Amino acid sequence: MPDAQAQIQKQLDQLVNEDRECGLQVAAYHKGKLITDACAGHTDASRNTPVNARTLFPLFSCGKGATATMVHRLVARGILDYDRPIATWWPEFAANGKHAITLRHALDHTAGLPYLPPETDLTKLCDWDAMCSAIARLAPAWTPGTRSEYHAITFGWIVGETACRATKLSFQQLLKQEILTPLGLRDFFIGLPETEETRVAQLENATPLAPLPPPPPPGQLEAIPHWLFPLSHWMNRPDIHRACIPASNGIMTARDLARHYAALIPGGVDGVELLPPASLRRILESNTEGHGFGYARGRADSAMGSARPTCFGHGGHGGSLGFADPDHHLSVAFACNRLHTSDSGESRRKIIKTIRQILHAED
């Protein structure tokens, strides 16, 4: 669709020329076809290297959506079950009152485990086995299923290790088997190979950094520990790029992220549907607000540009986003390397609104 490509490219160029953004990628699929794959700007503050279609962007929590998709595929084949205790596959997880926590609780952010283990540091954060062992020793902060609180970083290990135990595969092996290989994705990483490091855009902040948060009182746990701030600095570290932290360190292109969501819409992309229609219906018919079954859902103020609860996806800190809108056969991904203080970035909303107007895909 040349009109979509030209209009989106013009908007991206304008955002960069007005210095409202540094580097950007936007991709969209409609009815299984790539209708725009645009980019503009530069990979870092030096403005020496232009962004291209294969520049990799650190997109923080955008990896949560793919992690959820991986689990839904395993449920569809009977390897996992939403309503069985996680300890069915991961026996050590039952410790300290977690025996009744189910995979559904984890996907819906109601498991009661949003806080990192108190002994976590940067070294342990990059060690999959160490983090899973520490999480298995935690006690839930509330009765599972009775309260929802965003599991900002722990989500990936809880859901991911459950899938690994059930299949006896590593997280990267599962990601490749369930999503990357079926879709032919070359630029989608949770755990970046060192050989790809030079392709990663460097993050910067849209506004001067606020003073760092003070350390919490002794004994108080944190979902995102104070020592990770500023998050732009954390996600610019090569050791963090190489780690496998599925809830927080997805690194990818907008095109691959949009293709992942296109494959979740009935009809799929290039003949590939990642989920059977019955699985997708089960997810979208769930009575949930905010985050449910591993995805954020459409609502009145959603950056996805739709209040329909059938619109689903996941954003990342600072403004990145990927989503699917099955009602309009549309998927969109937005990647940026200038982090905005509000995740409801004006640039993202403007671009998504334009795509929806071109396709007459507005509510």
Side-chain angles (χ1 to χ4, degrees):
M1 189 174 291
D3 188 47
Q5 178 70 15
Q7 286 195 48
I8 297 306
Q9 186 64 60
K10 182 178 179 180
Q11 286 193 349
L12 296 190
D13 291 339
Q14 182 178 355
L15 288 168
V16 171
N17 291 337
E18 294 174 353
D19 197 31
R20 293 162 65 186
E21 299 290 345
C22 176
L24 296 161
Q25 288 175 341
V26 173
Y29 281 80
H30 184 237
K31 297 181 179 179
K33 302 297 182 183
L34 183 66
I35 62 166
T36 186
D37 183 16
C39 58
H42 301 88
T43 63
D44 59 36
S46 72
R47 307 301 194 263
N48 290 324
T49 306
V51 169
N52 60 48
R54 295 199 66 201
T55 298
L56 297 171
F57 281 77
L59 301 186
F60 292 93
S61 291
C62 286
K64 285 187 175 78
T67 303
T69 297
M70 188 173 74
V71 167
H72 295 315
R73 281 173 58 81
L74 297 178
V75 170
R77 300 203 300 274
I79 297 170
L80 290 172
D81 187 306
Y82 296 127
D83 296 312
R84 292 180 69 186
I86 286 174
T88 303
W89 307 279
W90 182 3
E92 304 95 314
F93 186 83
N96 293 316
K98 300 193 301 301
H99 57 280
I101 295 177
T102 65
L103 188 56
R104 186 188 298 270
H105 291 143
L107 289 166
D108 287 351
H109 296 262
T110 64
L113 300 167
Y115 311 120
L116 284 181
E119 68 271 25
T120 305
D121 57 23
L122 275 173
T123 300
K124 289 188 176 68
L125 200 67
C126 297
D127 185 328
W128 179 276
D129 291 338
M131 289 308 303
C132 292
S133 294
I135 286 170
R137 295 190 296 269
L138 288 175
W142 60 81
T143 302
T146 63
R147 171 181 157 192
S148 177
E149 183 175 328
Y150 187 52
H151 289 45
I153 305 180
T154 58
F155 175 94
W157 293 303
I158 298 168
V159 173
E161 178 67 359
T162 304
C164 292
R165 292 295 186 103
T167 60
K168 297 180 172 57
L169 296 173
S170 71
F171 185 90
Q172 279 91 354
Q173 288 171 329
L174 272 172
L175 184 66
K176 182 178 181 180
Q177 171 183 290
E178 298 299 327
I179 297 176
L180 307 187
T181 296
L183 291 176
L185 303 185
R186 298 184 299 158
D187 300 315
F188 194 116
F189 301 97
I190 299 175
L192 184 76
E194 190 171 0
T195 54
E196 306 293 338
E197 182 62 39
T198 58
R199 296 171 52 204
V200 180
Q202 292 291 294
L203 302 176
E204 61 178 51
N205 294 284
T207 57
L209 290 172
L212 296 180
Q220 180 177 315
L221 300 178
E222 299 174 284
I224 305 176
H226 65 281
W227 42 264
L228 284 187
F229 290 90
L231 293 178
S232 56
H233 293 185
W234 178 65
M235 270 296 278
N236 279 336
R237 293 174 56 122
D239 57 336
I240 299 302
H241 295 168
R242 292 193 298 271
C244 184
I245 311 173
S248 304
N249 78 335
I251 298 176
M252 60 201 73
T253 61
R255 179 172 54 201
D256 275 15
L257 182 59
R259 188 172 174 84
H260 157 250
Y261 281 108
L264 296 178
I265 296 170
V269 58
D270 294 335
V272 178
E273 290 185 53
L274 288 180
L275 293 178
S279 295
L280 184 61
R281 282 197 303 271
R282 186 176 183 184
I283 292 168
L284 298 184
E285 290 172 359
S286 63
N287 183 21
T288 185
E289 296 182 4
H291 290 84
F293 272 96
Y295 309 109
R297 303 290 278 276
R299 58 180 188 270
D301 61 343
S302 171
M304 301 180 220
S306 174
R308 298 169 186 244
T310 52
C311 195
F312 67 99
H314 216 292
H317 173 71
S320 54
L321 174 68
F323 71 88
D325 181 350
D327 291 345
H328 294 107
H329 306 282
L330 172 67
S331 72
V332 178
F334 178 94
C336 59
N337 62 345
R338 178 174 291 176
L339 304 185
H340 298 270
T341 53
S342 170
D343 281 348
S344 57
E346 180 184 347
S347 301
R348 181 178 65 182
R349 288 182 180 274
K350 180 180 179 181
I351 295 293
I352 292 171
K353 182 177 181 180
T354 297
I355 292 171
R356 287 188 174 280
Q357 288 174 338
I358 292 169
L359 298 173
H360 306 290
E362 299 173 284
D363 286 349

